[in-house]
Amino acid sequence: LGNRLDRPAQAREKLQLLLGKFIGSTNAPQVQLAIAGTYRREFDWTNTVRALEEWVRRYPGHAALPEVEFQRAWFTEQAGGTNALALFTNYVARFPAHSNAPLAQLRIADFHFSQGAFDTAEASYQLVFQNTNGADAELKSLARLNAGRSAFNRRAYRDATNYFVALVNDERVPRDVQAQAFFALGDTYLTASQAGEPIATDPFGDAINAFSRITNNFATNRQAAFAMGKIG
């Protein structure tokens, strides 16, 4: 009740008393998770992680283990833990068919991208959109977009273009991702031309066409203003 009324500390106190009295109860795992939830309500990621680690130690064979292990990796990252990458990597290896596995793989790819390891990031993003275990369309589209950005950053402009063209030609791609793909496509045409590696016979015309697709078809999208600037 205290947790629902935004008094997570009071709720935690009661839950800890309850857990202490009924440590062997079949409901104990749910109570332990509720305790972790009180820390989460306080944005206390460090203690959230500690509570989840304690849960894993106590209930290693529980059916909820895959979900809890994902939460542990996720909140370790939020807390700035240096082992978040290892936790996500181990998660994908242990639970490859779980619905959270594609998102874990995306976080792995994002880490490599943030470190400037664009070859590794691109390969990691590919694993997300090639996944056949239930990754949703938005996640796959975002992974393909970021694979293209990885290729762009390693100056493989033709590879980048292939990713972006696949996105803009796929009606199943969410509109926001498609707008970003049009922008990235236009930017790639320009950058490749400026680098002396043109990938189109009319790079400026093709770039303007890509940017115009945003202003004409995604006028309320935040990319539209940037596209207008590029056209100008």
Side-chain angles (χ1 to χ4, degrees), residues 5-221:
L5 296 177
D6 291 326
R7 295 198 293 271
Q10 293 181 22
R12 182 165 58 249
E13 182 179 353
K14 295 182 183 298
L15 288 167
Q16 287 170 335
L17 288 173
L18 186 65
L19 186 64
K21 289 181 179 180
F22 304 100
I23 189 66
S25 168
T26 56
N27 292 323
Q30 286 75 22
V31 175
Q32 182 76 40
L33 284 179
I35 290 172
T38 64
Y39 288 118
R40 189 164 62 248
R41 291 289 297 275
E42 295 173 325
F43 303 100
D44 183 348
W45 310 135
T46 299
N47 279 314
T48 297
V49 171
R50 287 174 180 167
L52 293 172
E53 288 174 343
E54 178 65 14
W55 190 98
V56 171
R57 185 187 68 81
R58 288 183 175 180
Y59 315 110
H62 197 279
L65 181 65
E67 183 62 38
V68 176
E69 285 285 28
F70 180 80
Q71 290 184 32
R72 182 161 76 107
W74 184 271
F75 289 109
T76 295
E77 183 179 31
Q78 304 311 304
T82 56
N83 62 328
L85 176 63
L87 290 173
F88 280 124
T89 301
N90 291 338
Y91 186 89
V92 172
R94 291 177 65 191
F95 311 108
H98 194 273
S99 59
N100 283 330
L103 183 54
Q105 184 64 51
L106 187 72
R107 298 309 299 142
I108 294 168
D110 287 344
F111 173 83
H112 292 303
F113 188 94
S114 71
Q115 299 299 304
F118 299 117
D119 283 331
T120 305
E122 184 179 351
S124 295
Y125 286 125
Q126 287 175 346
L127 292 176
V128 178
F129 61 79
Q130 292 170 354
N131 187 293
T132 59
N133 292 327
D136 63 35
E138 184 171 4
L139 197 66
K140 288 185 176 183
S141 297
L142 184 60
R144 193 181 295 274
L145 177 67
N146 286 335
R149 288 170 171 165
S150 299
F152 178 91
N153 277 285
R154 64 180 180 83
R155 300 181 181 179
Y157 301 120
R158 192 169 299 280
D159 289 346
T161 299
N162 290 337
Y163 289 117
F164 302 141
V165 168
L167 289 168
V168 301
N169 288 334
D170 189 344
E171 294 181 355
R172 296 168 298 179
V173 173
R175 288 181 61 79
D176 182 62
V177 175
Q178 199 167 53
Q180 292 182 65
F182 270 119
F183 189 90
L185 180 61
D187 207 29
T188 303
Y189 286 138
L190 292 178
T191 303
S193 178
Q194 292 164 358
E197 303 174 22
I199 53 179
T201 55
D202 183 13
F204 288 97
D206 287 343
I208 289 175
N209 181 57
F211 294 134
S212 296
R213 292 289 295 273
I214 302 173
T215 59
N216 292 338
N217 299 322
F218 307 92
T220 60
N221 189 283

